[in-house]
């Protein structure tokens, strides 16, 4: 199957980048609303509408939700692309629509999306509110879950650039998890169903991003929505959209999330998930927080009159300014980086560090400096 071609034919060109708000997706959803598939299922803290989009007449019911965390927009883009695909009247789309009933919530947290924050407008992490249900957005999702009674849940998120695949030095571009349903992290029939789907998606992704698929930690937390739904008996799959090389806008990762969605539903449709694939799932390396956006090695600094060679790392801080995301690099670690990797690495070969302040790198300092005064680094990047 030509996943690349299918994606290119259905990619929604009107949305791109990291800052995706309700204003961006609302007109697209309205355009897709050809047969009353679009409904307002509730309001956010700030009274913004929360939409559902339902399509398909099949027996297998799929519940998908994205942007539970407002600043995690990659899966929202991929979900919109997938909705475009379901509406394209192709033979494959029609087969899936006859087999599945899709209930999607493209943006559960529109307030957080507007503010570009993880939390909602009350500064509550909705993914820690699945038991207390203190927030309107949490209650809406639970209500839909109880009414729709899904056969599978797809919990769609982004993850930070700090995650790599084990100790391979490769970024975790896409990560999955079949959440635990109890403290013991035991396997039951429902969790294995989710595991089997993940194994099928991994088979496809390895053809495109070999070694860049990770497995998220399965420590049990009943306050997390995936753990809750898994414990309530529904096979649940956590998606984490991560970093691909030089793709801070996550437009490439968006494509691979689309591949994962489509291949996952094909696996269920073709019933290739009946075979237990626990070993295949467990062989997906766990995520390891061993990456920085920038790593600088073998830097010479003058420290109290003595010249020493050290390393340091910088990380982007994403800042919303005038409705645009800016990536500003700050120094976050100095010293031993032996077990760490950088999405961008630079070997200074013992060149002397200088800056406009005190000529010594400090934590939380903007990553603007010179090496021997002939190499300039601006916002983390070496200017050549």
């Amino acid at each position: 199957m030509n996943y690349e071609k299918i994606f290119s034919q259905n990619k929604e060109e009107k949305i791109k980048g990291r800052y995706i708000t309700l204003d961006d997706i609302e007109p697209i959803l309205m355009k897709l609303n050809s047969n009353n598939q679009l409904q307002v299922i509730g309001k956010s803290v700030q009274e913004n509408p929360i939409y559902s989009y339902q399509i398909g007449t099949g027996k297998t019911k799929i519940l998908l939700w994205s942007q539970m965390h407002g600043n995690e927009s990659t899966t929202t883009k991929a979900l919109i692309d997938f909705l475009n695909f379901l509406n394209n009247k192709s033979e494959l789309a029609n087969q899936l629509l006859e087999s599945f009933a899709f209930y999607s919530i493209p943006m559960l947290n529109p307030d957080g999306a507007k503010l570009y924050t993880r939390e909602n407008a009350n500064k509550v992490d909705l993914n820690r509110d699945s038991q207390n249900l203190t927030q309107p957005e949490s209650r809406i999702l639970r209500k839909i879950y109880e009414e729709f009674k899904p056969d599978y849940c797809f919990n769609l998120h982004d993850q930070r650039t700090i995650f790599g695949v084990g100790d391979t030095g490769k970024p975790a571009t896409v990560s999955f998890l079949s959440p635990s349903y109890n403290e013991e992290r035991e396997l039951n029939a429902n969790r294995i169903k989710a595991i089997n789907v993940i194994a099928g998606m991994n088979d496809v992704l390895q053809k495109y991003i070999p070694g860049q698929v990770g497995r998220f930690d399965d420590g049990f937390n009943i306050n997390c929505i995936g753990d809750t739904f898994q414990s309530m008996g529904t096979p649940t799959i956590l998606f984490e959209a991560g970093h691909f090389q030089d793709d801070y806008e996550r437009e490439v990762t968006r494509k691979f999330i689309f591949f994962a969605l489509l291949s996952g539903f094909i696996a269920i449709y073709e019933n290739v998930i009946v075979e237990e694939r626990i070993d295949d799932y467990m062989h997906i390396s766990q995520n390891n927080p061993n990456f920085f956006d920038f790593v600088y090695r073998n830097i010479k600094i003058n420290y109290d009159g003595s010249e020493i060679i050290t390393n340091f790392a910088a990380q982007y801080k994403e800042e919303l300014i005038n409705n645009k995301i800016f990536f500003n690099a700050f120094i976050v670690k100095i010293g031993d980086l032996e077990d760490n990797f950088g999405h961008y690495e630079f070997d200074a070969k013992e060149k002397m560090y200088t800056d406009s302040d005190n000529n010594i790198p400090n934590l939380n300092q903007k990553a603007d400096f010179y090496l021997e005064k002939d190499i300039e680094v601006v916002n983390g990047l070496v200017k050549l």
Side-chain angles (χ1 to χ4, degrees):
M1 180 172 297
N2 192 335
Y3 283 90
E4 293 274 6
K5 181 177 180 181
I6 295 172
F7 172 75
S8 65
Q9 290 173 336
N10 294 283
K11 180 182 178 183
E12 180 51 66
E13 298 292 348
K14 292 182 179 178
I15 51 174
K16 62 181 179 179
R18 298 291 288 277
Y19 188 50
I20 305 297
T21 69
L22 184 62
D23 290 340
D24 296 312
I25 69 166
E26 199 170 36
I28 299 169
L29 294 174
M30 294 294 182
K31 185 178 179 180
L32 290 172
N33 188 30
S34 58
N35 193 27
N36 295 320
Q37 301 101 323
L38 189 66
Q39 301 291 329
V40 175
I41 54 176
K43 296 289 183 70
S44 67
V45 171
Q46 295 182 336
E47 294 294 311
N48 285 305
I50 296 174
Y51 288 100
S52 70
Y53 187 89
Q54 298 182 65
I55 189 169
T57 58
K59 293 182 179 180
T60 303
K61 295 185 287 186
I62 309 291
L63 175 62
L64 313 91
W65 64 95
S66 185
Q67 256 173 303
M68 168 176 270
H69 295 141
N71 60 352
E72 298 180 1
S73 59
T74 307
T75 55
T76 301
K77 295 184 292 186
L79 179 56
I80 296 292
D81 299 333
F82 182 69
L83 295 181
N84 281 345
F85 163 76
L86 291 177
N87 280 278
N88 71 11
K89 302 187 186 305
S90 67
E91 181 180 355
L92 178 57
N94 289 336
Q95 288 173 342
L96 296 185
L97 291 174
E98 291 170 2
S99 297
F100 297 101
F102 295 99
Y103 194 118
S104 64
I105 305 173
M107 186 174 286
L108 183 64
N109 181 7
D111 301 346
K114 185 69 174 177
L115 297 169
Y116 200 68
T117 61
R118 178 181 175 90
E119 299 85 7
N120 73 346
N122 285 334
K123 299 187 182 302
V124 173
D125 185 338
L126 300 178
N127 203 28
R128 299 296 184 270
D129 191 42
S130 66
Q131 291 298 303
N132 294 330
L133 299 175
T134 64
Q135 301 304 301
E137 299 92 344
S138 306
R139 293 191 290 271
I140 289 166
L141 181 58
R142 175 62 67 85
K143 181 175 182 288
I144 295 305
Y145 171 83
E146 293 175 346
E147 291 178 351
F148 185 60
K149 297 180 173 58
D151 296 296
Y152 290 89
C153 288
F154 282 59
N155 183 13
L156 308 176
H157 289 264
D158 276 48
Q159 66 183 11
R160 296 172 61 197
T161 59
I162 63 172
F163 290 107
V165 176
D167 296 317
T168 65
K170 292 187 176 183
T173 301
V174 179
S175 297
F176 297 111
L177 174 67
S178 173
S180 298
Y181 70 92
N182 63 7
E183 291 281 358
E184 293 74 25
R185 310 185 193 187
E186 293 176 316
L187 300 178
N188 60 5
N190 289 317
R191 192 175 180 203
I192 291 172
K193 282 184 178 181
I195 283 172
N196 293 344
V197 176
I198 291 171
M201 293 188 292
N202 181 56
D203 288 343
V204 171
L205 289 178
Q206 290 298 333
K207 299 174 184 177
Y208 297 92
I209 44 172
Q212 291 181 222
V213 178
R215 178 166 52 89
F216 213 77
D217 177 72
D218 67 348
F220 181 68
N221 185 347
I222 193 61
N223 295 306
C224 294
I225 193 66
D227 303 56
T228 291
F229 287 169
Q230 195 91 284
S231 70
M232 294 172 73
T234 305
T236 300
I237 300 169
L238 172 70
F239 283 59
E240 294 281 356
H243 186 69
F244 185 85
Q245 294 87 333
D246 300 319
D247 181 39
Y248 282 93
E249 296 296 327
R250 299 226 165 141
E251 288 298 301
V252 179
T253 301
R254 162 191 192 166
K255 176 175 67 173
F256 297 129
I257 295 295
F258 176 88
F259 288 7
L261 288 170
L262 181 56
S263 62
F265 296 129
I266 290 173
I268 299 171
Y269 169 76
E270 294 180 345
N271 203 30
V272 298
I273 61 168
V274 292
E275 178 185 353
E276 287 192 7
R277 300 193 59 187
I278 298 169
D279 287 345
D280 293 333
Y281 173 76
M282 297 303 294
H283 278 112
I284 301 173
S285 295
Q286 276 200 287
N287 280 354
N288 190 354
N290 57 5
F291 262 90
F292 295 101
D293 291 318
F294 302 94
V295 167
Y296 311 94
R297 302 191 189 275
N298 302 311
I299 305 284
K300 183 186 291 185
I301 63 172
N302 190 322
Y303 188 74
D304 286 343
S306 298
E307 291 185 349
I308 64 172
I309 306 300
T310 190
N311 314 288
F312 61 88
Q315 196 72 17
Y316 277 134
K317 180 180 179 182
E318 298 166 28
E319 298 179 302
L320 177 64
I321 302 173
N322 295 326
N323 294 322
K324 186 176 180 181
I325 303 302
F326 289 85
F327 294 85
N328 293 315
F330 294 86
I331 296 172
V332 293
K333 186 176 181 180
I334 303 169
D336 180 23
L337 296 173
E338 182 179 352
D339 296 325
N340 295 109
F341 304 96
H343 295 300
Y344 175 88
E345 295 210 13
F346 185 79
D347 184 352
K349 298 179 180 178
E350 302 188 3
K351 288 183 179 291
M352 180 67 74
Y353 172 98
T354 61
D355 60 32
S356 59
D357 191 9
N358 58 8
N359 295 326
I360 296 176
N362 291 290
L363 294 179
N364 302 315
Q365 172 185 319
K366 193 82 163 57
D368 296 331
F369 55 91
Y370 290 90
L371 298 170
E372 301 285 2
K373 295 189 177 181
D374 60 349
I375 297 177
E376 185 180 12
V377 178
V378 178
N379 197 29
L381 292 169
V382 174
K383 296 183 69 175
L384 299 175

